[in-house]
Amino acid sequence: MLKKQEFPIAAIYVPVKRKQGFDAAKAAALAESILEEGLRVPIRVREDGDRFVLVEGLHRLEACRSLGEETITGVLAQARVR
């Protein structure tokens, strides 16, 4: 089972490909929901040296960033070993 933990927002890199699907209105609506109910679904990141790379949760990440949050709840995805 994946364990939830807090990640510093400043240490999360969002790949350009992932940014292409960003909808500011959706992030704003999520920010409002997060203010009322908190973050219900954690984001997913993977380690990449000293930073984390966003795997899932762009709108949640940007919503928390817009609220001035410094950390966000997420789960650390493990890379598959081949």
Side-chain angles (χ1 to χ4, degrees):
M1 182 171 170
L2 297 174
K3 181 181 169 191
K4 291 181 186 177
Q5 57 189 53
E6 293 295 312
F7 296 94
I9 290 176
I12 300 174
Y13 168 74
V14 180
V16 173
K17 197 172 190 181
R18 204 156 278 294
K19 289 180 185 179
Q20 292 173 350
F22 181 68
D23 178 348
K26 184 175 181 179
L30 267 171
E32 193 171 310
S33 172
I34 290 169
L35 278 175
E36 293 174 5
E37 303 172 25
L39 182 64
R40 298 188 324 196
V41 179
I43 66 167
R44 186 178 300 242
V45 296
R46 65 177 172 80
E47 281 185 295
D48 183 29
D50 293 340
R51 66 181 182 179
F52 300 96
V53 176
L54 183 71
V55 174
E56 184 179 293
L58 174 62
H59 291 94
R60 287 169 275 164
L61 175 65
E62 294 304 329
C64 286
R65 189 186 317 264
S66 74
L67 293 171
E69 298 290 335
E70 293 185 8
T71 62
I72 187 168
T73 303
V75 294
L76 186 60
Q78 300 298 319
R80 294 181 184 160
V81 177
R82 295 182 188 204

